[in-house]
Amino acid sequence: KNEETAPCFYAPGLLERIAATPGQEIGSHSFCHYYCREAGQTVEQFAADMAAAKARTILGPDAIIGVSVHTVEEAMEAAAQGADCLGVGTMFYTGTKPDAEAVTFDTLRDICHKTALPTVAIGGIGAHNIMELKGTGISGAFFVNLTLNYPPIS
């Protein structure tokens, strides 16, 4: 399958180009059932699933475990539980989470400076606003809408 025959196939051409670019990595979200609003998933279940300590037990010592956080307190807890990196957001409005409350730049900056973990911003980020995150201390940014709305390669 490819972008031309299956438009919702998550842009494999783009992902291949990103993966082939030196210094770039591709991450995926293992707990998409919550984001897809699978019946029966609660915020409490999602938080329990995301606990870095639980993930480490399941995935083993060599897994790279990222935890989504929204506050300094959540970031510190994730670090204490053994997370390897953090995802912080939603930073800007995004259609993938239209009801999400944006994390402030001050909170993002505090998370980056109060933990030693690599931190990636996520949520509504694109070429039009990525520079607004300059100086916050992030290690990188996720561009979910870029991959979901990626036009086919001809």
Side-chain angles (χ1 to χ4, degrees):
K1 294 185 178 187
N2 61 46
E3 297 96 332
E4 292 176 15
T5 60
C8 295
F9 199 64
Y10 299 116
L14 175 63
L15 295 173
E16 289 168 5
R17 287 178 23 199
I18 292 170
T21 302
Q24 300 302 310
E25 295 182 25
I26 297 174
S28 64
H29 198 294
S30 299
F31 299 95
C32 61
H33 55 264
Y34 177 79
Y35 288 114
C36 293
R37 300 181 186 197
E38 182 178 296
Q41 292 299 310
T42 66
V43 172
E44 293 77 18
Q45 289 170 326
F46 178 66
D49 283 347
M50 289 298 293
K54 181 177 181 182
R56 179 71 62 211
T57 301
I58 295 168
L59 299 173
D62 297 330
I64 298 173
I65 298 175
V67 176
S68 299
V69 299
H70 309 91
T71 66
V72 173
E73 292 77 19
E74 290 174 353
M76 300 305 285
E77 181 178 343
Q81 290 179 355
D84 296 301
C85 55
L86 303 173
V88 180
T90 297
M91 294 311 305
F92 303 98
Y93 172 81
T94 175
T96 60
K97 290 186 182 179
D99 299 328
E101 186 175 326
V103 173
T104 67
F105 292 151
D106 285 340
T107 297
L108 176 61
R109 193 175 295 109
D110 287 347
I111 289 170
C112 290
H113 292 110
K114 291 185 179 180
T115 72
L117 298 177
T119 301
V120 179
I122 188 169
I125 300 169
H128 64 288
N129 60 14
I130 184 78
M131 293 308 292
E132 293 180 46
L133 300 172
K134 186 176 181 180
T136 59
I138 60 171
S139 304
F142 279 122
F143 297 87
V144 174
N145 280 323
L146 178 65
T147 57
L148 293 178
N149 297 315
Y150 178 68
I153 298 173
S154 52

